[in-house]
Amino acid sequence: MRNGRPVALEEEEWEKVISLRTKEFDPGMPPPFRLAEIRAAIPKHCWVKNPWRSISYVGRDVAIVFGLVAAAAYINSWVVWPLYWAAQGTMFWALFVLGHDCGHGSFSDCHKLNSVVGHLLHSSILVPYHGWRISHRTHHQNHGNVDKDESWHPLSESVYRSLDTTTRKLRFTFPFPMLAFPLYLWTRSPGKSGSHFNPESDLFGQNDKIDVITSTACWMAMAALLAGLTLIIGPLQMLKFYAIPYLIFVMWLDFVTYLHHHGHDEKLPWYRGKEWSYLRGGLTTLDRDYGWINNIHHDIGTHVIHHLFPQIPHYHLIEATKAAKPVLGKYYREPEESAPLPFHLLGILLKSLRRDHYVRDTGDVLYYEKDSE
């Protein structure tokens, strides 16, 4: 006996403490906290949406877009055009992110304002606002779920093996995966069917049909406007002013969304069946640092808290993340600090494309596996 307590019991408890301290962290284990605990750690003002502030970001981005067009048209030099394409493609991506916020309702508390602004922004870059909004909502509701997630989810081994060689090569060979978004809008991901333009698609419920038709009509109006402008200014000018920046935007979108769910040094789990939960799925997402681009694309790289609480406006995400990190502990992975331009992420992308190919057809806690062939 020591201080009235059995020595053997003390030694047993001490061994447990040592075991807990030395045990390797397993990201696939259920976290020791609940979603409500993360929510409670986030300051209340982080949940407040300021529509005037949101609109100011739209005004800023639209002004930059038209300013870039005016500058490129005035200078009209092949030295300047590549700079214009990179800058304008990045601004198209920024417009998409603001429309994305409208879709989540984090732009404002006014549904009509969100819908009008979302349609204007997304239609201008050939994205069907409601069609994408609804499928993206499915992605958030099922993040980390192999069978139900909507975008950049792993292929099961059987689906992977069923792909023809060309499709398999294109999916995992840079830069082709970075051009996937338009194809995804029309046909979804391998193993799934439907279209973001078709109200009868199994992406949508009965109550979504009018919304999908509206967004498809807006998309068609924008396509018609671009066709008319092409007749006026000519195909080459349309290619320079719009088409190439559009492709840069698509690459940004695929690049960013892929890296939010792939490429961590320690492979992160995916789930199916009873092992999946909204919290566990959300904790497999990743924050990324994009250097100077962070402010331009509205801190979309601050992604973990956004995935768990998509109602938080983008301008509060950094503060909300800082407040939540003590609760998240090791389930939060600090992003690698970026140089002014995030070229370091290109290496992470290429590494992931070489090793993250499929998950097994069976099992409920899964990790990407590499096709050795």
Side-chain angles (χ1 to χ4, degrees):
M1 299 286 288
R2 185 183 300 164
N3 296 328
R5 297 172 62 190
V7 173
L9 182 59
E10 289 183 356
E11 290 173 350
E12 182 180 336
E13 290 177 345
W14 179 244
E15 288 174 0
K16 287 182 179 179
V17 170
I18 294 174
S19 175
L20 287 172
R21 288 180 177 176
T22 58
K23 185 178 180 182
E24 185 176 351
F25 171 67
D26 182 359
M29 291 294 292
F33 50 81
R34 297 173 299 164
L35 194 66
E37 294 174 62
I38 308 173
R39 183 189 296 272
I42 298 173
K44 291 183 178 180
H45 68 265
C46 288
W47 302 87
V48 178
K49 306 158 193 173
N50 183 337
W52 293 110
R53 185 171 181 180
S54 297
I55 290 171
S56 73
Y57 287 110
V58 175
R60 180 195 78 175
D61 289 359
V62 170
I64 294 173
V65 166
F66 281 102
L68 288 170
V69 170
Y74 178 77
I75 300 172
N76 193 23
S77 165
W78 284 106
V79 175
V80 171
W81 281 115
L83 298 176
Y84 166 79
W85 296 331
Q88 193 70 294
T90 303
M91 291 313 303
F92 282 12
W93 163 235
L95 294 180
F96 175 88
V97 174
L98 291 176
H100 154 274
D101 289 356
C102 291
H104 279 302
S106 62
F107 188 87
S108 79
D109 285 320
C110 177
H111 174 75
K112 184 171 290 187
L113 177 63
N114 294 338
S115 183
V116 170
V117 175
H119 272 98
L120 290 172
L121 294 175
H122 275 191
S123 298
S124 71
I125 48 175
L126 294 178
V127 177
Y129 172 70
H130 279 310
W132 178 85
R133 174 186 65 80
I134 294 165
S135 75
H136 189 63
R137 180 183 64 196
T138 301
H139 165 57
H140 270 259
Q141 290 173 341
N142 298 280
H143 47 209
N145 188 312
V146 170
D147 299 322
K148 298 181 180 180
D149 202 344
E150 177 58 30
S151 57
W152 285 126
H153 58 85
L155 300 180
S156 65
E157 184 173 6
S158 58
V159 171
Y160 176 83
R161 300 293 182 195
S162 71
L163 300 177
D164 61 78
T165 304
T166 301
T167 301
R168 202 181 303 168
K169 282 284 186 183
L170 290 176
R171 184 175 174 86
F172 297 101
T173 303
F174 183 84
F176 301 108
M178 300 299 99
L179 299 170
F181 182 64
L183 187 64
Y184 165 71
L185 290 177
W186 286 99
T187 64
R188 296 177 74 191
S189 302
K192 297 190 176 185
S193 60
S195 167
H196 289 74
F197 300 92
N198 182 3
E200 301 298 328
S201 170
D202 57 10
L203 270 169
F204 312 119
Q206 284 294 120
N207 296 331
D208 298 325
K209 288 189 175 182
I210 298 300
D211 285 344
V212 175
I213 291 171
T214 300
S215 295
T216 300
C218 290
W219 186 95
M220 293 175 68
M222 182 63 190
L225 175 62
L226 291 172
L229 286 174
T230 302
L231 292 176
I232 295 170
I233 67 175
L236 180 60
Q237 294 290 69
M238 180 56 66
L239 181 73
K240 292 193 295 184
F241 279 108
Y242 187 89
I244 296 178
Y246 172 79
L247 290 177
I248 300 296
F249 146 65
V250 167
M251 295 186 77
W252 264 118
L253 189 152
D254 283 320
F255 180 68
V256 171
T257 54
Y258 181 91
L259 288 176
H260 283 159
H261 302 276
H262 298 79
H264 195 259
D265 285 339
E266 298 175 6
K267 289 193 175 184
L268 299 180
W270 289 77
Y271 304 100
R272 62 162 62 101
K274 293 181 179 179
E275 288 291 342
W276 180 86
S277 71
Y278 180 83
L279 175 58
R280 292 177 77 182
L283 293 175
T284 65
T285 62
L286 296 163
D287 281 8
R288 298 291 188 184
D289 183 11
Y290 295 90
W292 287 346
I293 309 298
N294 287 331
N295 180 264
I296 295 172
H297 69 185
H298 308 291
D299 291 315
I300 194 66
T302 313
H303 204 67
V304 177
I305 290 300
H306 164 69
H307 243 273
L308 293 172
F309 305 109
Q311 310 86 357
I312 295 178
H314 74 264
Y315 41 83
H316 291 317
L317 283 174
I318 292 176
E319 182 181 359
T321 298
K322 185 177 179 180
K325 283 199 290 186
V327 179
L328 297 173
K330 289 185 177 181
Y331 286 88
Y332 178 80
R333 293 99 189 166
E334 288 285 351
E336 180 182 348
E337 187 173 348
S338 176
L341 295 176
F343 291 118
H344 71 290
L345 292 175
L346 184 60
I348 295 173
L349 169 70
L350 296 175
K351 181 179 178 181
S352 177
L353 290 174
R354 288 194 298 267
R355 71 175 189 178
D356 297 334
H357 296 149
Y358 60 83
V359 296
R360 294 184 181 182
D361 292 321
T362 58
D364 292 337
V365 180
L366 304 153
Y367 294 85
Y368 264 112
E369 297 189 18
K370 178 180 180 179
D371 180 358
S372 58
E373 297 178 7

